[in-house]
């Protein structure tokens, strides 16, 4: 590699630098002539050769060779080759010890581009070697003729090797140059991308972006984190991310492991119910999302946590709930009055025509639907405010389920849906509020009937399994798309199935049902296959016999 690059240097260096070797070699030869008295010297020839080398060196340095074709630079080594031939002639001719000087211009000529340079080196060397015989300074001797033929051949072979190595060197230099350009281009792109990423990073000021390693130690702390937590990057890097996070209402006790945070965020996509404590001691409610930080092989290097400031969102939700609760409360009184007067009007059936009775029945039905909606809104407001009253008692759940099924029979019959109940013979008891639990079952049963086409069926089951009891409501209806199951219990959410079928409702029933079940210390599960049906299961702590 080093040889090839050094030979490539002969191709890229200036003529003055390349000629420097011949000039130095001539000076060394002249010093040798002065030191060694036994060498026969013809002063005019040696002086002439020295002048030629000097002029060639001066020309190599002074003339603007870069303006001309590269081939013109061959004039300098050819002049040097002839000068060294004359120098050889003046220091003994065929017996001169300075024949090796011819090698220097030969190397220069051989390093030039093209195979023709090898031939030029061989012919030039042959002329230089034969110069004593061409000018008649020495008589032709067959033994010397062999040298005249053999030496140029050797020099030509040297020129050929140099030419090949120089070509390889030039190609490597070209490749290295191209790689350097490509590297510079990539570095420029990398600098641009880094500047862009830095600009984006600095622009994220309304979310706290925290980058950690796999153990949860902070390795980068965004401007938004500095703003939200009033903590500088210098003070945050190296600490655990959960030092800044705690469950809401934990009063300073974190009670949160980094793995638990990731599991919570992974399951729910957003870890809510958390707070961050600023350096001033203020608590800020946040939701946290995270993304794994991967290397190019897909291995986790750490995590990117994004904490969203929920103060404005929570305040807006609180104001909305207050507004809904206030409006619902104000609507309930006039609605009750309307229903009372409708009932009085319908009692006087003797004075009403059939059409008038029908109109009053429609008005009464819609007023009751509106009153039920107002009741749902008030119930939701009570849940949000933490004022959710329950009258708990020892309750046989079978009785609640049978009552709900009996109440739903007229609606189911009108829709062509069969309702069946499967309960065990022995009591299945829980500590529950009969009215609220009945409301939860009614909501699920009502939905099942709405979304089951005529000819379908709805089955209610009650069973005890270990320390829990299960209330199941299974239908053979339209089902719910799998991508919508996650949002099923979200307030005001209506599935695409209900939208397509134009089923009445505002999306509060399932949210209210889950709130009731949660208040009883239970849980609710749902599974569905689109086009086959849906199953809801309420699980409650069971009481012993």
């Amino acid at each position: 590699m080093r040889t090839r690059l050094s030979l490539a240097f002969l191709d890229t260096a200036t003529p003055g630098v390349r000629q420097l070797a011949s000039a130095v070699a001539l000076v060394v030869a002249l010093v040798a002539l002065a030191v060694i008295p036994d060498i026969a010297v013809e002063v005019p020839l040696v002086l002439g050769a020295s002048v030629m080398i000097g002029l060639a060196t001066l020309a190599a340095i002074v003339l603007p060779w870069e303006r001309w074709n590269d081939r013109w630079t061959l004039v300098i080594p050819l002049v040097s080759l002839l000068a060294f031939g004359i120098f050889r002639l003046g220091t003994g001719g065929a017996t001169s010890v300075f024949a090796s000087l011819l090698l220097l211009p030969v190397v220069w000529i051989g390093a030039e581009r093209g195979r023709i340079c090898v031939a030029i080196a061989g012919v030039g060397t042959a002329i230089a070697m034969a110069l004593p015989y061409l000018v008649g300074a020495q008589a032709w001797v067959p033994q010397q003729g062999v040298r005249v033929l053999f030496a140029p051949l050797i020099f030509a072979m040297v020129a050929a090797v140099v030419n090949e190595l120089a070509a390889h060197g030039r190609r490597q230099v070209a490749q290295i140059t191209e790689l350097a350009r490509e590297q510079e281009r990539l570095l420029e792109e990398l600098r641009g991308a880094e500047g862009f990423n830095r600009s984006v990073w600095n622009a994220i000021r309304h979310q706290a972006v925290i980058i950690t390693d796999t153990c949860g130690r902070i390795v980068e702390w965004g401007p938004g984190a500095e703003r939200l937590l009033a903590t500088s990057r210098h003070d945050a890097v190296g600490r655990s991310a959960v030092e800044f996070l705690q469950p809401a209402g934990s009063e300073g006790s974190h009670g949160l492991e980094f793995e638990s945070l990731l599991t919570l965020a992974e399951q729910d996509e957003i870890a809510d119910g958390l707070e961050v404590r600023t350096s001033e001691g203020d608590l800020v409610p946040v939701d946290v999302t995270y993304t794994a930080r991967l290397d190019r092989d897909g291995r986790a290097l750490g995590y990117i946590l994004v904490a969203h400031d929920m103060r404005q969102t929570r305040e807006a939700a609180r104001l909305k709930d207050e507004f809904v609760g206030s409006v619902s409360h104000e609507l309930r009184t006039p609605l009750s009055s309307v229903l009372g007067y409708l009932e009085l009007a319908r009692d006087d059936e003797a004075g009403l025509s059939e059409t008038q009775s029908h109109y009053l029945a429609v008005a009464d039905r819609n007023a009751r639907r509106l009153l039920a909606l107002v009741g749902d809104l008030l119930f939701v407001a009570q849940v949000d405010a933490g004022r959710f009253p329950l009258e708990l008692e020892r309750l046989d759940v079978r009785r609640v389920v049978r009552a709900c099924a009996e109440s739903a029979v007229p609606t189911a019959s009108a829709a062509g849906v069969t309702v069946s109940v499967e309960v065990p013979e022995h009591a299945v008891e829980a500590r529950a509020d009969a009215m609220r639990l009945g409301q939860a079952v009614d909501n699920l049963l009502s939905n099942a009937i709405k979304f089951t086409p005529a000819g379908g069926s709805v089955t209610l089951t009650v069973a005890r399994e270990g320390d829990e009891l299960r209330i199941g409501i299974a239908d053979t209806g339209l089902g719910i798309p799998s991508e919508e199951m996650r949002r099923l219990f979200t307030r005001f959410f209506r599935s695409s199935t209900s939208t397509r079928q134009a089923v009445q409702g505002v999306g509060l029933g399932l949210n209210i049902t889950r709130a009731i079940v949660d208040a009883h210390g239970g849980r609710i599960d749902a599974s569905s296959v689109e086009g086959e049906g849906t199953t809801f299961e309420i699980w409650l702590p069971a009481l012993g016999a």
Side-chain angles (χ1 to χ4, degrees), residues 58-74:
L58 182 62
I61 296 173
V62 174
L63 294 180
W65 299 98
E66 68 279 358
R67 298 181 184 178
W68 304 327
N69 190 287
D70 291 344
R71 291 301 186 192
W72 282 106
T73 58
L74 285 175

Side-chain angles (χ1 to χ4, degrees), residues 122 148-158:
V148 170
L149 295 177
F150 185 72
L153 179 61
I154 296 300
F155 280 114
M157 292 175 64
V158 171

Side-chain angles (χ1 to χ4, degrees), residues 4 31 55-56 69-70 87 105 118 154 168 170 189 280 367 372 443 462 482 499 503 511 530 545:
R4 291 178 180 176
V31 172
L55 292 174
N69 190 287
D70 291 344
F87 190 88
V118 176
I154 296 300
H168 279 288
R170 280 190 290 270
E189 290 182 359
E280 288 86 5
N443 285 342
V462 177
S482 57
T499 304
V503 177
N511 182 264
E530 194 171 4

Side-chain angles (χ1 to χ4, degrees), residues 184-202:
E184 182 62 29
R185 185 184 66 80
L186 292 176
L187 285 174
E188 192 62 31
E189 290 182 359
L190 187 60
R191 292 189 197 101
E194 183 180 2
F196 175 78
N197 292 336
R198 180 58 57 182
S199 300
V200 173
W201 176 259
N202 291 332

Side-chain angles (χ1 to χ4, degrees), residues 369 372-373 376 408-419 441-458 473-480 493-495 497-510 513 533-534 536:
R369 281 179 55 195
L373 176 59
D376 287 344
V409 166
T411 303
S413 299
V417 177
T418 302
V419 177
V441 175
D442 279 338
N443 285 342
L444 297 177
L445 182 56
S446 174
N447 281 347
I449 294 172
K450 286 179 184 178
F451 292 102
T452 300
S457 64
V458 178
I473 298 93
D475 63 58
T476 59
L478 302 175
I480 302 167
F493 171 74
R494 302 191 69 211
S495 68
T497 306
S498 62
T499 304
R500 288 195 301 267
Q501 299 297 319
V503 177
Q504 293 180 348
V506 293
L508 287 175
L510 291 179
T513 299
T534 303
F536 286 91

Side-chain angles (χ1 to χ4, degrees), residues 53 132 156 179 193 296 455:
I53 293 294
L179 286 175
R296 62 182 182 181

Side-chain angles (χ1 to χ4, degrees), residues 60-212:
I61 296 173
V62 174
L63 294 180
W65 299 98
E66 68 279 358
R67 298 181 184 178
W68 304 327
N69 190 287
D70 291 344
R71 291 301 186 192
W72 282 106
T73 58
L74 285 175
V75 172
I76 298 174
L78 288 173
V79 170
S80 298
L81 191 62
L82 179 60
F84 283 137
I86 295 173
F87 190 88
R88 175 174 174 270
L89 179 61
T91 56
T95 61
S96 174
V97 296
F98 297 107
S100 59
L101 292 174
L102 299 172
L103 183 62
L104 296 175
V106 165
V107 170
W108 181 345
I109 296 170
E112 294 293 326
R113 289 180 175 84
R115 301 296 185 187
I116 187 65
C117 294
V118 176
I120 292 173
V123 172
T125 305
I127 294 174
M129 292 291 293
L131 198 57
Y133 309 107
L134 293 176
V135 299
Q138 290 181 342
W140 177 264
V141 179
Q143 291 83 354
Q144 298 296 336
V146 173
R147 178 183 294 181
V148 170
L149 295 177
F150 185 72
L153 179 61
I154 296 300
F155 280 114
M157 292 175 64
V158 171
V161 172
V162 170
N163 187 269
E164 181 63 26
L165 291 177
H168 279 288
R170 280 190 290 270
R171 284 195 290 271
Q172 288 193 339
V173 168
Q175 290 174 356
I176 292 173
T177 302
E178 183 61 30
L179 286 175
R181 290 198 195 97
E182 181 66 16
Q183 185 179 28
E184 182 62 29
R185 185 184 66 80
L186 292 176
L187 285 174
E188 192 62 31
E189 290 182 359
L190 187 60
R191 292 189 197 101
E194 183 180 2
F196 175 78
N197 292 336
R198 180 58 57 182
S199 300
V200 173
W201 176 259
N202 291 332
I204 303 175
R205 295 185 173 274
H206 295 285
Q207 290 84 29
V209 181
I210 305 170
I211 301 178
T212 74

Side-chain angles (χ1 to χ4, degrees), residues 287-364:
D287 287 347
V288 176
T289 59
Y290 92 97
T291 302
R293 187 164 57 94
L294 307 177
D295 63 12
R296 62 182 182 181
D297 296 323
R299 292 188 296 267
L301 297 175
Y303 302 93
I304 302 174
L305 306 178
V306 182
H308 306 264
D309 185 348
M310 300 300 293
R311 284 176 293 189
Q312 292 184 354
T313 303
R314 300 277 173 87
E315 180 63 16
R318 185 187 66 81
L319 293 174
K320 181 198 71 175
D321 291 338
E322 286 185 358
F323 173 76
V324 170
S326 176
V327 170
S328 300
H329 182 75
E330 295 299 326
L331 285 175
R332 195 165 191 170
T333 300
L335 271 175
S336 298
S337 177
V338 169
L339 284 169
Y341 280 104
L342 284 172
E343 187 174 354
L344 288 174
R346 294 181 67 188
D347 285 343
D348 189 15
E349 292 183 357
L352 299 175
S353 67
E354 182 178 348
T355 300
Q356 290 172 330
S357 297
H358 173 70
Y359 289 162
L360 288 174
V362 172
D364 182 78

